[in-house]
Each structure stands twice: as C-alpha cells, then as structure tokens.
Amino acid sequence: RSPTRAGVLFIGKSNGVIDIWDFMDQSHKWTMQYLVASNGISSMKFHESNSSILAVGSQEGSLHIL
C-alpha cells in the first residue's frame, strides 16, 4: 500500500515483477508493471521518512532500491 496515496497497492510477484494498482483510477487491471528481479519478490518496504523510496528484496537475496 502506498504511504501517501490511498487506493494504490504494490504487489510483488513470483516472476520478479511489481504490479502497481491504482484503484482510484481503474480497478480492472494494473496501472503499471515494473521488472525488478529475475526471480521472485520476497519483501517490500517504503522508507520511513521518504515515502518515495521503496526497498525490494528478491528471493535470491538481492536488495533493490526504487
């Protein structure tokens, strides 16, 4: 869930893609997809003091900062 905009969800998938859903705009499909890793997403967390930074962990143990 976006810390700054209600209705926006970030979903990490097993293929390494993050789907971004904006339910305020459309609810029938994702708004954006972003390829982060070559394998699955294991964790995601927004930075506590800068909500525009998203840390993404992959199943292989890599950390990606978006």
Side-chain angles (χ1 to χ4, degrees):
R1 167 175 91 55
S2 171
T4 58
R5 184 168 170 174
V8 176
L9 298 174
F10 293 75
I11 301 171
K13 297 168 50 176
S14 62
N15 63 356
V17 171
I18 294 176
D19 285 349
I20 302 169
W21 289 73
D22 185 350
F23 289 103
M24 303 299 279
D25 185 39
Q26 61 186 1
S27 62
H28 64 283
K29 70 174 219 153
W30 47 262
T31 302
M32 179 194 292
Q33 287 187 315
Y34 189 74
L35 177 61
V36 177
S38 59
N39 54 16
I41 304 297
S42 61
S43 61
M44 294 188 294
K45 180 159 175 63
F46 282 97
H47 192 276
E48 292 179 11
S49 60
N50 186 347
S51 60
S52 65
I53 297 174
L54 178 64
V56 180
S58 69
Q59 289 178 343
E60 69 181 10
S62 296
L63 174 64
H64 306 270
I65 306 296
L66 308 176

